[in-house]
Amino acid sequence: MDLELRHLKIVRAVAESGSVTKAATRLGLAQPSLTAQLKRIERTLGGPLFERDRNGARPTPLGEMVLSRARVLLPAVRELQEDAVRFANTSEDIPGYRIGATHGPILGGLVERLTSAYPTTPVTTRTSWSARELTSLVTSGRLDFALVGTCGDSPPPQAEAMSWSTVAADPVFVLLAENHPLAGEDELELSQLAGECWAVAPGDGCFADCFAGACTRAGFVPLSIYETDVATCLHLVGVGKTVALCQATFQLTAGLVMMPLVGAPLRWRHLLGWHDDSVASRVSSSVVHHARAAHADTVRRSRRYADWLIAHPRFRAVP
């Protein structure tokens, strides 16, 4: 008998259930049938995979080895199937991708991936500081997708009028000048920045309120806040006049350092939205997949953030 994927699924089910009886129920099989299949699998692999007694089933050393391979192979095959479905769902279903985005790290990588995957399908973009403007353009049919951000678990604009998928969530870090007295720390308490002025980019979401609330919980009110474009924010930070909040995927420029905040008191969630009645809804799962891959690319390019994720395994950047 040749070993098949369904055989590995049986081995995994028995190991995870702890008994053949429970595994049979989980797989929707009769116990005698599952027991017979397991015996055939064991003959194929050359020995017993489980020690079975009145207390259940425990993997033998051979079983542990097979399980370790199965736990790699089965998810890989499932991912292959999902990718094949996405690949088969070609962009021939829609005339083009019209994507609106607030300023963030994902749009460039998303465009790169879509144009590579579907080279004959036009991709157009529009950026705005206003998430409300972009969602209005989607609901009116002038855009296919809106890529926006929200603070924490706050809902996006027109949450009920569109379908939304979370692409990723990142902690918010702080930008300092490289000669700032705190620039050598591993991470900072937000309260350590109580005496600083702040530079922020404009937006119409809830982030200003979230930031004010985090500062209040840290015991201070910001001295001054300069709302301006990104280039001016970076200039003010670089010359030591302000500090600035940034997404953890931010690509550092010369003269700046990026510092994590203890406890990640602020979190930024990237969302992709579309209208269910639009043609774009047919390919929404594919676009979400490419957006998540683009975000993963930005994480890999940010050594500081990648190291932070390793040190904080409970924080899930991708849903």
Side-chain angles (χ1 to χ4, degrees):
M1 182 184 73
D2 292 330
L3 190 66
E4 301 176 13
L5 288 174
R6 62 187 178 91
H7 299 144
L8 295 180
K9 292 178 180 178
I10 288 173
V11 175
R12 182 180 64 181
V14 173
E16 292 178 350
S17 301
S19 77
V20 174
T21 301
K22 292 179 181 178
T25 301
R26 173 175 168 178
L27 295 171
L29 300 172
Q31 181 180 338
S33 174
L34 181 60
T35 300
Q37 289 191 58
L38 185 58
K39 288 181 178 178
R40 288 196 293 272
I41 294 169
E42 288 178 326
R43 285 198 298 270
T44 299
L45 293 175
L49 302 178
F50 296 95
E51 295 178 356
R52 297 188 283 277
D53 55 33
R54 60 189 302 175
N55 295 319
R58 297 176 302 279
T60 63
L62 175 61
E64 291 285 5
M65 187 275 288
V66 173
L67 279 167
S68 67
R69 302 291 179 86
R71 287 168 179 151
V72 173
L73 288 171
L74 291 175
V77 171
R78 185 179 66 250
E79 184 178 354
L80 171 62
Q81 291 173 326
E82 293 171 352
D83 286 346
V85 170
R86 281 190 290 265
F87 186 83
N89 186 19
T90 67
S91 62
E92 294 174 359
D93 290 335
I94 62 173
Y97 295 91
R98 300 172 299 169
I99 304 170
T102 51
H103 295 260
I106 298 176
L107 180 60
L110 177 58
V111 171
E112 177 186 1
R113 287 178 171 274
L114 289 175
T115 53
S116 296
Y118 313 115
T120 61
T121 304
V123 177
T124 58
T125 61
R126 176 168 181 160
T127 59
S128 172
W129 293 113
S130 173
R132 291 190 184 94
E133 177 189 357
L134 296 176
T135 53
S136 295
L137 291 172
V138 171
T139 56
S140 65
R142 296 167 63 189
L143 287 176
D144 298 312
F145 296 96
L147 186 61
V148 305
T150 65
C151 184
D153 295 321
S154 300
Q158 303 194 47
E160 303 301 324
M162 295 169 54
S163 291
W164 293 93
S165 181
T166 299
V167 175
D170 297 318
V172 174
F173 287 178
V174 177
L175 286 177
L176 307 177
E178 62 181 359
N179 59 355
H180 191 285
L182 297 174
E185 301 291 330
D186 291 331
E187 57 182 0
L188 300 176
E189 295 280 357
L190 184 57
S191 58
Q192 290 178 265
L193 302 168
E196 301 289 345
C197 295
W198 296 79
V200 300
D204 58 5
C206 61
F207 190 78
D209 293 335
C210 294
F211 175 51
C215 292
T216 299
R217 291 190 293 273
F220 72 96
V221 175
L223 290 179
S224 182
I225 297 178
Y226 300 96
E227 184 180 282
T228 184
D229 60 272
V230 172
T232 302
C233 285
L234 298 181
H235 173 79
L236 291 174
V237 173
V239 297
K241 296 298 183 182
T242 69
V243 297
L245 297 171
C246 69
Q247 296 176 36
T249 51
F250 178 78
Q251 298 299 301
L252 280 173
T253 56
L256 303 181
V257 295
M258 186 167 64
M259 305 295 296
L261 292 171
V262 175
L266 292 166
R267 182 167 56 94
W268 190 249
R269 195 160 53 109
H270 306 277
L271 300 169
L272 186 76
W274 62 92
H275 200 285
D276 272 337
D277 295 333
S278 68
V279 176
S281 64
R282 303 175 191 170
V283 294
S284 57
S285 61
S286 174
V287 178
V288 170
H289 168 73
H290 285 299
R292 288 177 177 168
H295 175 268
D297 290 339
T298 67
V299 173
R300 284 189 287 269
R301 288 195 294 268
S302 174
R303 179 63 181 271
R304 190 70 186 266
Y305 184 23
D307 289 345
W308 186 91
L309 285 173
I310 293 172
H312 298 80
R314 293 186 179 182
F315 188 95
R316 296 192 64 186
V318 177

